Amino acid sequence: FPVNPDKDIKATLDMITKAKMIDLSLRTRIFFYTPYTGTELYQLALNKGLKEPKSLEEWAEHTLRKFEAPWGKREYRYTLEIFANFY
């Protein structure tokens, strides 16, 4: 989330680790928060540097799998990839 991404990444991975210890068959998917217009966090995302899509083509790139958050660090994706591959 745009408020405290460092803390949120750590908390998410800690929660998944604890859940995995409870149930080894647990499967999970991790996605980065993708803000959409009309939601409560959209304005916060704009305040944190989100560039609002201006055309249909830009909105087509604003998807769960393609969105790159301006508050996100490249190392987040690397950390999550390593975590996912480990588990």
Side-chain angles (χ1 to χ4, degrees), residues 23-46:
D23 182 356
L24 294 176
S25 67
L26 174 75
R27 299 280 186 245
T28 185
R29 290 184 177 192
I30 302 171
F31 293 98
F32 291 95
Y33 166 69
T34 306
Y36 287 98
T37 186
T39 62
E40 290 183 32
L41 291 175
Y42 191 73
Q43 186 60 48
L44 175 64
L46 290 173

Side-chain angles (χ1 to χ4, degrees), residues 2 5 33 35 45-51 67-73 76:
Y33 166 69
L46 290 173
N47 295 343
K48 293 289 185 173
L50 172 68
K51 300 280 191 267
F67 176 68
E68 296 272 340
W71 53 84
K73 299 176 186 173
Y76 294 156

Side-chain angles (χ1 to χ4, degrees), residues 1-84:
F1 287 102
V3 177
N4 192 343
D6 291 329
K7 181 181 171 186
D8 290 338
I9 293 283
K10 182 180 179 342
T12 299
L13 298 182
D14 287 348
M15 178 189 63
I16 293 169
T17 300
K18 289 175 185 174
K20 187 75 169 170
M21 291 170 58
I22 294 168
D23 182 356
L24 294 176
S25 67
L26 174 75
R27 299 280 186 245
T28 185
R29 290 184 177 192
I30 302 171
F31 293 98
F32 291 95
Y33 166 69
T34 306
Y36 287 98
T37 186
T39 62
E40 290 183 32
L41 291 175
Y42 191 73
Q43 186 60 48
L44 175 64
L46 290 173
N47 295 343
K48 293 289 185 173
L50 172 68
K51 300 280 191 267
E52 188 169 29
K54 302 291 185 205
S55 67
L56 286 176
E57 291 80 14
E58 289 179 10
W59 275 110
E61 296 297 314
H62 188 81
T63 67
L64 186 64
R65 295 191 188 278
K66 294 181 181 180
F67 176 68
E68 296 272 340
W71 53 84
K73 299 176 186 173
R74 288 185 178 224
E75 67 190 60
Y76 294 156
R77 290 197 184 273
Y78 180 70
T79 298
L80 292 178
E81 186 175 324
I82 289 173
F83 182 86

